[in-house]
Amino acid sequence: MNEVIELFSYSTLEKDQHNWETIIKEQHCPYLEKRCIKIRKSQPEISIGTCSVKYGKKSNPIIICPFRLLEKKQIFTDCLHLLTTHEPGNELHIVPEVSVPGGSVDYFLVSVNENKVRDFVGIELQTLDTTGTVWPARQRFLKSINSSIVKDGTASYKTFGMNWKMTAKTILIQLHHKVQTFEHINKHLVLVIQDFLLTYLQNEFQFSHLNNARLGDSMQLHSYCLNNNASKKYSLKLDKRLSTDSDGIAICLGLQAEANVELENIISQLESKINDNTLFSIA
């Protein structure tokens, strides 16, 4: 059965180690350092709080909230090497939600000296979108610990799924637009995802041309796994680093063939019109 494995950042495997009544009432997200913004549409005063779930035949731990990736701010530490003009003494800033041509970027890691930006890296977070509803699974967990807060949802047989295809295609299309901007200004854009989403991308899209991470590539991809090992508490660990450029993202989407066709059409038309009358000459 699909289950919630992290609620408001706490592992549901640690049933007896936390005051769940207080956790549910406070609705606090430690990653955002404020109330969880994932709310019920029918009851906006209630934050759902689901960070990750067990899903599928193998009960894989799947992160369903992008802010879960902010654990210990490790994803930012793992991007420090991409600040190629950062110098000792400069301040580091994490700036959320910055608009760029092609959309907005979730975070910028910025090197600052005397209130002037010296370098920056754009960082996009992407986790899997769910279909259906996670609410009954959340409520079943609360019922299993005899929570007094449970009032509805435990009897529902509704479940949730993963919108693999839409999640993958949407992020690739967005990256295709955004990475061109970063490439033109000689900066890096980093996509942070979970290992299971990377595996899906590699299986369903053209990914064989991606390199092991190279500093010279504008598009960087960092994948993380969610482990609990011997402990019942889950934690993130960097798993793989890959890289490419804007042309590489186009190939992932299968756009290269279309671009070649357009180029061939233009060349064909030009060649058919070239003659003595079109020859450029200075009289």
Side-chain angles (χ1 to χ4, degrees), residues 2-190:
N2 298 338
E3 301 174 352
V4 174
I5 59 173
E6 286 185 311
L7 195 58
F8 296 105
S9 82
Y10 294 94
S11 170
T12 58
L13 297 176
E14 301 175 309
K15 288 186 177 182
D16 303 323
Q17 299 179 33
H18 304 294
N19 186 334
W20 288 102
E21 299 289 307
T22 300
I23 291 170
I24 300 303
K25 287 178 180 178
E26 290 182 347
Q27 306 187 112
H28 180 71
C29 171
Y31 308 118
L32 293 176
E33 299 180 348
K34 62 180 182 180
R35 180 191 168 192
C36 170
I37 63 174
K38 188 185 294 185
I39 61 174
R40 292 200 81 192
K41 292 180 180 178
S42 59
Q43 296 174 290
E45 73 278 7
I46 296 178
S47 293
I48 300 173
T50 48
C51 307
S52 55
V53 297
K54 275 187 179 179
Y55 178 76
K57 294 180 180 179
K58 296 183 179 180
S59 295
N60 292 322
I62 303 290
I63 299 172
I64 60 172
C65 176
F67 302 116
R68 175 63 182 85
L69 295 169
L70 298 177
E71 177 191 326
K72 298 179 181 178
K73 299 181 179 178
Q74 184 64 41
I75 61 170
F76 302 112
T77 301
D78 294 337
C79 292
L80 285 173
H81 66 290
L82 299 173
L83 292 171
T84 54
T85 60
H86 173 72
E87 295 182 353
N90 287 11
E91 297 175 339
L92 292 171
H93 293 254
I94 299 171
V95 182
E97 289 293 329
V98 177
S99 296
V100 300
S104 65
V105 176
D106 293 328
Y107 292 94
F108 273 70
L109 177 63
V110 188
S111 174
V112 177
N113 184 272
E114 296 182 352
N115 294 320
K116 297 293 184 181
V117 173
R118 303 304 180 186
D119 202 358
F120 60 81
V121 177
I123 302 171
E124 282 278 80
L125 312 183
Q126 183 64 57
T127 51
L128 276 158
D129 295 327
T130 56
T131 59
T133 175
V134 182
W135 182 255
R138 174 197 193 268
Q139 296 302 86
R140 282 194 295 272
F141 166 71
L142 295 181
K143 184 179 180 181
S144 74
I145 58 173
N146 299 315
S147 171
S148 62
I149 299 174
V150 180
K151 294 180 180 179
D152 69 321
T154 58
S156 174
Y157 290 98
K158 291 181 180 179
T159 187
F160 58 88
M162 296 295 159
N163 202 345
W164 296 94
K165 186 175 182 179
M166 184 59 68
T167 300
K169 192 164 186 178
T170 298
I171 189 60
L172 287 177
I173 291 172
Q174 291 177 353
L175 288 176
H176 182 237
H177 295 301
K178 295 174 186 177
V179 73
Q180 292 175 349
T181 297
F182 283 81
E183 201 163 277
H184 290 158
I185 59 177
N186 198 29
K187 299 296 181 184
H188 294 95
L189 177 63
V190 183

Side-chain angles (χ1 to χ4, degrees), residues 240-259:
K240 290 181 181 178
R241 293 191 301 122
L242 303 173
S243 69
T244 186
D245 55 16
S246 59
D247 289 340
I249 295 297
I251 293 172
C252 291
L253 283 164
L255 298 178
Q256 186 63 39
E258 295 176 15

Side-chain angles (χ1 to χ4, degrees), residues 11 13 61 225-237:
S11 170
L13 297 176
C225 51
L226 188 64
N227 296 327
N228 68 341
N229 298 322
S231 168
K232 292 182 179 181
K233 182 177 177 61
Y234 289 90
S235 61
L236 284 179
K237 183 179 180 182

Side-chain angles (χ1 to χ4, degrees), residues 198-226:
L198 174 59
T199 298
Y200 179 85
L201 288 168
Q202 290 173 321
N203 290 337
E204 299 297 322
F205 295 85
Q206 299 180 49
F207 258 64
S208 59
H209 61 284
L210 265 69
N211 310 301
N212 289 326
R214 301 187 307 192
L215 192 60
D217 286 334
S218 55
M219 182 72 241
Q220 304 280 318
L221 193 156
H222 294 179
S223 77
Y224 290 77
C225 51
L226 188 64

